[in-house]
């Protein structure tokens, strides 16, 4: 019996390790979007048009996956619609927010999303939240405040802050929706299918709202400047679509399934660190001492949060017995 338990714990540990690796990969992929998107914007593309190109391009890449999982449209239409709205809205709200408030403030408010996930888990789902996850969020929020230097150029605009809060809510929704149905066994919705249809929904919504027919498409036929180096605009767009969207979303959703929404959400704080470091190396945007210290705090918060993931069965306040509860008790006792 003890051997079986050890083997089960070992497999759970490996699964958690894979989930953490995927979450970090997702954060790196998302964080790398800025170094490609910013030159495109500086070359003449509207920020919202870049968002549209990003989501629509990724939706086209994932179209074969959507066709393969077309049964999801019948089985989980509400989930697909909600995921698509969250994925598109978080970017639209963020770009709208930075037009009214400093980028650092908007980014900090947006990354309150993982904290909102904790509130959802605790007060809506009525499940306990681990102290490690809560402490990780506190450290990561404090570190992120240093990374973005929130004290620089702070000015308050009520509507701008509301838009940033909207981005935070959409980001929280992304993590929560990614975990929906993960406990249904064989009937669990395939995460690749969710991502594919989410991107399709997002592309349709963005097409209606950002009017891509007004975009200056000639920009993509020329080059953009990346720290003094001329890079084809289409190559930058390919990076944004394939790496910063397709790979980022797929690894992110799978990571949530292997970890939990709150833990994966805290690991996502690494995106801000990655974006800042890459901007320093490739775009010449140097880091200050507080930003370096903040990056260390973000990393510490992410590590602490992932070190303790509560089992869903043991976290369910209405669970009164059964094999899941017994297994959880054995794991706690060991």
């Amino acid at each position: 019996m003890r051997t079986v338990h050890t083997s089960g714990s070992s497999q759970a540990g490996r699964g958690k390790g894979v989930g953490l690796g995927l979450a970090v990969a997702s954060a790196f992929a998302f964080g790398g979007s800025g170094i490609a998107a910013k030159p495109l914007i500086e070359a003449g593309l509207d920020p919202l048009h870049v968002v549209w190109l990003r989501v629509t391009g990724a939706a086209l890449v994932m179209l074969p996956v959507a066709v393969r999982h077309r049964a999801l449209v019948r089985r989980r239409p509400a989930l697909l619609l909600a995921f698509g709205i969250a994925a598109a809205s978080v970017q639209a709200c963020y770009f709208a927010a930075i037009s009214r408030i400093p980028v650092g403030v908007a980014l900090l408010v947006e990354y309150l999303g993982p904290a909102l996930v904790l509130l959802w888990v605790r007060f809506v789902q009525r499940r306990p939240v681990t102290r490690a996850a809560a402490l990780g969020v506190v450290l990561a929020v404090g570190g992120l405040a240093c990374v973005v230097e929130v004290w620089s150029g702070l000015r308050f605009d009520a509507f701008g802050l509301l838009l940033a809060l909207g981005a935070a809510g959409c980001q929280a929704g992304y993590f929560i929706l990614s975990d929906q149905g993960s406990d249904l066994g064989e009937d669990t919705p395939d995460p690749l299918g969710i991502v594919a249809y989410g991107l399709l929904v997002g592309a349709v919504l963005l097409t209606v709202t950002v009017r891509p027919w007004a975009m200056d498409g000639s920009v993509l036929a020329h080059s953009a400047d990346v720290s003094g180096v001329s890079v084809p605009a289409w190559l930058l767009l390919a990076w944004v679509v394939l790496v910063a969207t397709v790979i980022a979303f797929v690894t992110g959703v799978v990571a949530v399934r292997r970890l939990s929404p709150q833990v994966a959400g805290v690991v996502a704080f690494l995106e801000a660190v990655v974006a800042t470091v890459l901007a320093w190396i490739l775009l010449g945007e140097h880091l200050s001492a507080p930003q370096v210290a903040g990056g260390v705090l973000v990393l510490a918060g992410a590590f602490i949060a992932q070190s303790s993931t509560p089992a869903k069965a043991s976290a369910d306040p209405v669970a009164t017995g059964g094999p899941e509860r017994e297994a959880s008790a054995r794991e706690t006792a060991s």
Side-chain angles (χ1 to χ4, degrees):
M1 295 294 292
R2 182 65 181 174
T3 302
V4 172
H5 173 60
T6 302
S7 176
S9 298
S10 177
Q11 290 179 357
R14 286 196 297 270
K16 185 177 176 181
V18 172
L20 177 60
L22 290 171
V24 171
S26 179
F28 268 74
F30 274 124
S33 64
I35 62 171
K38 185 173 181 178
L40 289 174
I41 293 172
E42 292 178 343
L45 284 179
D46 184 272
L48 288 179
H49 287 155
V50 175
V51 174
W52 179 83
L53 287 169
R54 175 183 186 178
V55 174
T56 303
L60 292 175
V61 172
M62 295 291 287
L63 189 57
V65 179
V67 173
R68 179 180 180 183
H69 296 283
R70 55 188 177 277
L72 280 175
V73 178
R74 182 183 69 258
R75 290 169 49 210
R76 305 301 295 272
L79 173 60
L80 300 181
L81 179 62
F83 188 88
I85 292 174
S89 297
V90 65
Q91 299 176 67
C93 286
Y94 173 71
F95 279 108
I98 62 176
S99 68
R100 305 181 68 96
I101 62 176
V103 172
V105 177
L107 187 60
L108 176 60
V109 175
E110 178 189 341
Y111 271 82
L112 292 177
L116 296 180
V117 171
L118 292 180
L119 295 177
W120 172 274
V121 170
R122 180 65 184 90
F123 296 106
V124 178
Q125 296 183 336
R126 298 187 180 279
R127 289 164 48 194
V129 173
T130 64
R131 293 181 180 179
L135 176 61
V137 167
V138 171
L139 287 176
V141 169
L144 190 59
C146 297
V147 170
V148 302
E149 293 187 329
V150 68
W151 55 83
S152 299
L154 183 62
R155 53 189 174 86
F156 294 96
D157 181 289
F159 187 59
L161 290 175
L162 184 62
L163 288 168
L165 281 172
C170 293
Q171 188 194 64
Y174 161 75
F175 287 111
I176 293 170
L177 290 168
S178 296
D179 194 50
Q180 291 298 303
S182 60
D183 55 353
L184 297 179
E186 294 182 358
D187 197 42
T188 298
D190 190 285
L192 293 180
I194 293 175
V195 170
Y197 278 102
L199 290 169
L200 283 172
V201 171
V204 171
L205 293 175
L206 287 170
T207 299
V208 174
T209 55
V210 308
R211 298 182 299 174
W213 49 85
M215 176 179 60
D216 182 10
S218 63
V219 173
L220 298 177
H222 299 87
S223 298
D225 181 77
V226 181
S227 191
V229 178
S230 182
V231 179
W234 66 266
L235 185 59
L236 295 174
L237 179 61
W239 174 273
V240 171
V241 170
L242 297 176
V243 177
T245 307
V246 175
I247 292 177
F249 270 110
V250 170
T251 54
V253 171
V254 177
V256 171
R257 293 291 178 85
R258 289 180 174 269
L259 298 172
S260 68
Q262 60 265 42
V263 174
V266 174
V267 176
F269 276 102
L270 291 174
E271 177 186 339
V273 178
V274 171
T276 304
V277 171
L278 290 179
W280 179 20
I281 296 174
L282 299 176
L283 301 180
E285 299 178 354
H286 298 290
L287 291 171
S288 65
Q291 286 178 311
V292 174
V296 173
L297 280 178
V298 173
L299 290 170
F303 175 79
I304 292 173
Q306 67 84 28
S307 65
S308 177
T309 307
K312 289 185 178 182
S314 63
D316 188 351
V318 299
T320 57
E324 293 86 356
R325 188 178 181 88
E326 182 180 352
S328 178
R330 288 200 305 269
E331 183 174 344
T332 302
S334 65

